[in-house]
Amino acid sequence: MQLSFLPLLLKLEDNDYLFFFFFIFILNSLTGKPKALLNADVRDIPVGGSVTLICSVNPSSGWEYYWYRDGKKSHSLTSQDAVFPSNGQISVSEGGLYRCRGGRGNPVYYTEYSDPVTINNIDKPKAVLSVSPSWLSPGTSVTLSCEVEHSSAGWRFYWYKTVPDLSGTSYSYELLPGSINGTEQDSYMIHGKTQTAGFTCRAGRGDPEYYTYYSDPKFVWSGGQSASASLTVNPDTVQHFGSKSASLRCDGNSTKWRVSRFTDDGFQRQCFFWGTMNGSTCNLNWMWYGNVVYWCESGSAFSNAVNITGQYNDGIILVSPVHPVTEGDSVTLGCKLRTQNVLSNVFFYKDNKLIQNDSRGEMSISAVSESDEGFYKCQYSGKESPQSWMAVKSVSENSSFPVLLITGLVCGVLLIILLLLLCCYKQSKGEKFSDQFKITDVFLLLLINAVATEEFEIHKTC
C-alpha cells in the first residue's frame, strides 16, 4: 500500500514540519522493509553435483530475486555463476556463503538481505579396501570389501588387481573379471588364489558417472615359493636384532626387481626408502623393530612373502626358519643373544606351552608333521624372545605333479599293453586287423594326449 502525504504537507505550517518528518520516520520504523528468506534443500554439494537455493519474500507477488556469494553484495550472481531454473530458485555447484534479496518497481525497491546460508563442497571421497584373510592357506578364498568415506547410497564398486610399475614406486591397475560395469555388492570373492597379490577398488555413481579416488593397495600374502618369483632371506631366520645387517634376494623370471615391506604401523615402502637395492638384492644395515612383511615384485609377478621380526639389542631371539618346513624334513630351533648363541638351559614353548625344559640349547624335530605347525618362542635367563610362526608344508604340495605324471605314464603303458593283447587275440582268430588297428591307434593317441593335457592343466593350476 502506497500513501501520499502531499495534501497534508501543503496544509502544514512552518512549525509543524519537524513534527511531520518525525512522524514519517516512526511510520517507516514500524512498517520496515520486508526481509528475504533463503532456504537450501541440502547444505553439502557432492562431487559433480549441485544444490538448489530458494529465495522468497512475504508478500511474494511481483518480486525479482538477486543472489550474492561470500559477502560480495555489490555484484549479484549471473548465469555465468549459477543456473537459474526459475524466478526465486538458483542451482549452485560452488561452495560459499550465500544471501539473497528481492526487488520490484522502477526505480527498484529492495528488501532486506536474507540471513546467510553456508554451502559446503564435499571433497572427492576415497574408497577404503580391506582383504580377508591377509595370509593365504590352501583352499581358502579371499574376500575383498570396499567402502566409501562419508558413505551414502547409489555407489557401484570396481575391483582391480595391482601390477607393479618398476619405473617408480606405484602400481597400475587391471580390472578383475566381472568388474567392467561395476558391482552393486560392496564385496568381491576370489577363489583359488595361491600366490601373493595386491588389490585395489574404487566406486562410481551418477550419469555421467564420477568416481572416488582409488583405495590404497591391500595385499594378500603367501609363504609358498614359486618358480616365477621367490624371496630368500640371509640369515635364514625369522627374528633378527635391529643392529644386525641382513639381505633379501629376489629370484625368478625377471631381470628387474624391487623389494617391498609392510610395517606393523600400516605403511608400505620400497627398498630404497630403508635399504640399498643392488641388482636383485636389497641390503639392510638395520632391521625395523617389530613385525614386518617383505616380498619381491617384478613387472608381472609377486614373490612369496616373509614375516620378519626385529628385536632390541638387549633382548633375545628365537632362531627359526623363514620359509615353511616340508613334512618329513628335520628342523632345529635355537635361541640367541646379540653376541652369541645360547648353548644350554633354554626353555622352548609352542603356542605358549612349555615343550622342552632341560640342559640343551637347541630343540630338534627329526621329522616335521602338520601338528608341529604353530607359534614358537624361547626363554633364557629371564629373557624371553618374541614368538614366531613356523609353517609346515604338506608333501603333496611339492609332489603332486610328479605323482600325476607317473600315474599318467602307468595308465598309458597299461593301455598299450591292452592294445597289443587285443591285437594278438584278433590275429589268433585269423581276423583282419589293419583297419581296426588304425582306428584303435588313433583313439589311443587321442587318449594319451588328453591325459597328458589334463596333467599339465592340473600342474598349472597348482
Side-chain angles (χ1 to χ4, degrees), residues 253-367:
N253 302 332
S254 179
T255 58
K256 190 173 183 180
W257 299 92
R258 70 184 183 195
V259 178
S260 286
R261 79 175 184 190
F262 186 84
T263 52
D264 50 10
D265 59 356
F267 289 97
Q268 181 199 349
R269 292 287 187 271
Q270 274 77 43
C271 174
F272 70 85
F273 283 102
W274 40 266
T276 303
M277 198 73 191
N278 183 13
S280 61
T281 300
C282 178
N283 297 302
L284 291 78
N285 293 323
W286 59 276
M287 300 295 294
W288 177 274
Y289 296 106
N291 295 316
V292 183
V293 181
Y294 295 92
W295 68 95
C296 296
E297 298 174 351
S298 70
S300 59
F302 294 87
S303 75
N304 59 298
V306 297
N307 200 343
I308 301 296
T309 301
Q311 174 66 304
Y312 292 101
N313 293 329
D314 59 351
I316 194 169
I317 64 171
L318 174 74
V319 180
S320 63
V322 171
H323 302 294
V325 183
T326 303
E327 275 186 313
D329 288 353
S330 63
V331 67
T332 298
L333 306 182
C335 208
K336 187 176 183 179
L337 296 169
R338 186 175 67 88
T339 56
Q340 65 181 22
N341 292 330
V342 179
L343 302 178
S344 61
N345 301 320
V346 177
F347 298 166
F348 288 94
Y349 295 80
K350 177 179 179 288
D351 300 328
N352 289 319
K353 294 181 180 179
L354 182 64
I355 57 175
Q356 180 173 302
N357 176 15
D358 54 33
S359 61
R360 290 174 292 176
E362 296 179 334
M363 189 188 80
S364 297
I365 304 174
S366 59

Side-chain angles (χ1 to χ4, degrees), residues 5-21:
F5 296 99
L6 182 59
L8 179 63
L9 185 61
L10 293 174
K11 295 179 181 179
L12 290 175
E13 297 180 0
D14 292 341
N15 294 334
D16 294 327
Y17 279 105
L18 181 62
F19 173 78
F20 174 76
F21 285 114

Side-chain angles (χ1 to χ4, degrees), residues 310-426:
Q311 174 66 304
Y312 292 101
N313 293 329
D314 59 351
I316 194 169
I317 64 171
L318 174 74
V319 180
S320 63
V322 171
H323 302 294
V325 183
T326 303
E327 275 186 313
D329 288 353
S330 63
V331 67
T332 298
L333 306 182
C335 208
K336 187 176 183 179
L337 296 169
R338 186 175 67 88
T339 56
Q340 65 181 22
N341 292 330
V342 179
L343 302 178
S344 61
N345 301 320
V346 177
F347 298 166
F348 288 94
Y349 295 80
K350 177 179 179 288
D351 300 328
N352 289 319
K353 294 181 180 179
L354 182 64
I355 57 175
Q356 180 173 302
N357 176 15
D358 54 33
S359 61
R360 290 174 292 176
E362 296 179 334
M363 189 188 80
S364 297
I365 304 174
S366 59
V368 172
S369 65
E370 186 178 350
S371 62
D372 293 314
E373 188 169 77
F375 285 101
Y376 289 83
K377 64 182 178 181
C378 67
Q379 190 180 77
Y380 172 76
S381 187
K383 294 183 177 182
E384 185 174 277
S385 75
Q387 63 177 5
S388 290
W389 178 261
M390 188 179 78
V392 176
K393 183 168 55 175
S394 171
V395 175
S396 61
E397 294 179 37
N398 290 337
S399 59
S400 60
F401 178 65
V403 169
L404 288 171
L405 180 60
I406 293 171
T407 303
L409 290 174
V410 170
C411 290
V413 170
L414 289 175
L415 284 172
I416 293 173
I417 292 172
L418 289 174
L419 179 61
L420 291 174
L421 290 174
L422 181 61
C423 179
C424 293
Y425 174 76
K426 292 286 186 178

Side-chain angles (χ1 to χ4, degrees), residues 82-262:
V83 177
F84 295 81
S86 63
N87 187 32
Q89 290 190 10
I90 185 175
S91 223
V92 298
S93 57
E94 182 179 342
L97 193 69
Y98 286 85
R99 290 181 175 85
C100 72
R101 64 174 176 170
R104 65 183 178 187
N106 187 17
V108 178
Y109 169 79
Y110 292 102
T111 67
E112 296 280 356
Y113 288 96
S114 69
D115 291 330
V117 170
T118 300
I119 302 299
N120 302 307
N121 277 110
I122 298 179
D123 291 335
K124 186 176 181 178
K126 184 175 182 178
V128 178
L129 179 67
S130 59
V131 299
S132 179
S134 295
W135 285 89
L136 291 171
S137 56
T140 58
S141 297
V142 178
T143 300
L144 310 181
S145 300
C146 192
E147 62 180 68
V148 179
E149 293 177 339
H150 313 295
S151 179
S152 56
W155 295 103
R156 294 187 69 83
F157 297 91
Y158 297 84
W159 312 91
Y160 304 83
K161 70 174 183 178
T162 61
V163 179
D165 179 3
L166 299 186
S167 64
T169 62
S170 61
Y171 300 89
S172 60
Y173 304 134
E174 293 181 2
L175 279 167
L176 291 172
S179 184
I180 293 177
N181 297 317
T183 64
E184 293 182 358
Q185 296 76 25
D186 61 359
S187 62
Y188 185 94
M189 189 80 75
I190 300 173
H191 303 284
K193 199 69 188 171
T194 59
Q195 297 298 320
T196 299
F199 303 98
T200 188
C201 72
R202 67 173 176 169
R205 68 179 179 187
D207 186 16
E209 192 168 20
Y210 64 93
Y211 298 96
T212 66
Y213 290 111
Y214 287 97
S215 70
D216 291 331
K218 295 292 183 180
F219 295 87
V220 56
W221 296 299
S222 169
Q225 293 176 299
S226 69
S228 60
S230 65
L231 170 65
T232 55
V233 181
N234 185 27
D236 181 16
T237 181
V238 174
Q239 298 181 18
H240 295 254
F241 287 107
S243 63
K244 295 290 188 177
S245 60
S247 63
L248 309 169
R249 191 182 79 245
C250 304
D251 295 295
N253 302 332
S254 179
T255 58
K256 190 173 183 180
W257 299 92
R258 70 184 183 195
V259 178
S260 286
R261 79 175 184 190
F262 186 84

